[in-house]
């Protein structure tokens, strides 16, 4: 899929916002319900995926 630089910037902004939200959600869940290990693991897996997508876009922007 070919995206324009503007689309990449928009996607990057959206992904970074989502990454911050998931990170905060993980912290809140750990504080409020630390025994919810399955839920926390799912949030962490999604957080890793978001970070990978952000890294891929960052690499593409640098090229």
């Amino acid at each position: 899929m070919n995206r324009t630089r503007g689309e990449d910037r928009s996607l990057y902004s959206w992904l970074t916002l989502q990454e911050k939200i998931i990170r905060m959600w993980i912290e809140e869940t750990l504080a409020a319900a630390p025994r919810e290990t399955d839920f926390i693991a799912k949030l962490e897996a999604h957080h890793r995926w978001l970070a990978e997508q952000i890294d891929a876009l960052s690499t593409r922007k640098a090229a």
Side-chain angles (χ1 to χ4, degrees):
M1 176 176 166
N2 293 328
R3 292 184 305 262
T4 66
R5 288 196 189 275
E7 289 171 330
D8 277 355
R9 280 193 305 271
S10 294
L11 182 57
Y12 182 83
S13 294
W14 184 82
L15 287 169
T16 55
L17 177 60
Q18 297 305 307
E19 186 271 333
K20 289 175 187 174
I21 292 168
I22 294 291
R23 186 174 358 112
M24 290 171 43
W25 196 2
I26 290 168
E27 291 171 8
E28 289 178 9
T29 303
L30 284 170
R35 294 186 182 156
E36 294 290 332
T37 56
D38 289 342
F39 181 63
I40 293 167
K42 289 177 183 177
L43 287 174
E44 288 174 337
H46 188 62
H47 184 262
R48 280 189 300 276
W49 179 83
L50 285 168
E52 290 169 3
Q53 299 308 306
I54 291 166
D55 287 342
L57 276 174
S58 296
T59 303
R60 181 177 170 183
K61 284 174 32 178

